Amino acid sequence: MTHSLTDRTLALAALFQAAQLVQHVARRGHAADSDVETCINSLFQIDAASTEAIYNGSRGLTSGLRTLSARLGSGGTPEELEVTRYVVALLHLERKLARHATMRDTLRIGIERIRNQLNYFPSTHANIIAALGELYQATISTLQPRVMVQGEPTFLADKARASQIRALLLAGIRAAVLWRQLGGSRWQLFLGRRRILESAQHLLHS
């Protein structure tokens, strides 16, 4: 797998997309099906040959690329800043996960087990989402500090939506892991912001 700026931009866009989808489910009760599918499918691309293969090209990350481009700019509404907060929290949890080999093994085994269910259900079926949500709850959710999702109490209390939020957070962790594997770092987000922004805009218009 290549470690180009384009690869890192796609991984970061996937992270922002997952974070924004978490916000949409928590605050609106729903999220774009195609965007959700892109994020959930990425969890099962364990041995993909390229970053584009994980996300089926850049088209499925259009929403994430737009969000990334907006957030790399200055300012932002409280709602936009909330997405950034989720991204930062997931990047922090990825660093915690990197120090837990047993948890990484549990995640890998769990993902492979759930992937077998794709023989019977599509990736966004309620059974798959519930299983992914349970896997997140048993692993990443035990790390501190936990991602504190804000939203409408009715939506947050709904079992199906709660599972979808956890599944999307797991997809966000997958993107954060990929970002690190491709050479991404905190310093790149600060010092290389302009290059990432240019890469994201190029992908959006290509």
Side-chain angles (χ1 to χ4, degrees):
M1 184 179 293
T2 60
H3 289 53
S4 69
L5 176 61
T6 296
D7 292 316
R8 289 192 292 275
T9 302
L10 288 172
L12 201 56
L15 175 53
F16 271 87
Q17 182 159 307
Q20 186 173 60
L21 291 171
V22 165
Q23 183 188 64
H24 286 178
V25 175
R27 293 199 174 277
R28 306 177 188 178
H30 61 86
D33 292 339
S34 59
D35 290 345
V36 171
E37 185 176 8
T38 295
C39 288
I40 298 301
N41 281 341
S42 73
L43 288 165
F44 304 112
Q45 309 306 313
I46 299 172
D47 300 313
S50 67
T51 306
E52 286 200 352
I54 295 173
Y55 297 104
N56 195 27
S58 61
R59 183 170 299 179
L61 293 176
T62 298
S63 176
L65 287 165
R66 287 174 177 161
T67 304
L68 172 61
S69 296
R71 296 310 314 126
L72 288 180
S74 59
T77 66
E79 187 173 274
E80 290 169 338
L81 293 174
E82 183 177 70
V83 172
T84 302
R85 180 170 62 81
Y86 292 153
V87 167
V88 171
L90 289 168
L91 285 170
H92 185 66
L93 286 176
E94 183 276 331
R95 289 290 80 200
K96 293 287 188 72
L97 176 62
R99 298 192 288 269
H100 284 265
T102 301
M103 185 177 292
R104 294 199 306 273
D105 288 341
T106 300
L107 282 166
R108 177 181 53 80
I109 293 169
I111 290 294
E112 290 176 348
R113 173 179 52 81
I114 297 168
R115 186 168 62 170
N116 291 332
Q117 297 183 40
L118 297 179
N119 294 322
Y120 311 100
F121 306 107
S123 61
T124 55
H125 189 277
N127 290 3
I128 301 293
I129 297 300
L132 290 172
E134 290 172 3
L135 181 61
Y136 178 89
Q137 198 166 22
T139 54
I140 305 300
S141 187
T142 66
L143 299 175
Q144 297 295 330
R146 298 173 63 180
V147 181
M148 302 304 294
V149 176
Q150 305 296 315
E152 293 295 325
T154 302
F155 299 147
L156 295 174
D158 181 78
K159 186 175 181 179
R161 290 188 176 97
S163 291
Q164 189 174 34
I165 287 170
R166 294 186 185 109
L168 288 167
L169 288 172
L170 190 58
I173 289 289
R174 197 270 189 267
V177 169
L178 181 62
W179 158 257
R180 294 287 185 180
Q181 290 174 337
L182 294 170
S185 67
R186 182 182 301 177
W187 288 111
Q188 285 192 27
L189 284 176
F190 289 103
L191 302 179
R193 177 176 296 191
R194 181 183 296 276
R195 293 185 65 217
I196 295 172
L197 177 59
E198 290 174 351
S199 177
Q201 292 176 340
H202 174 74
L203 286 165
L204 279 171
H205 294 101
S206 63

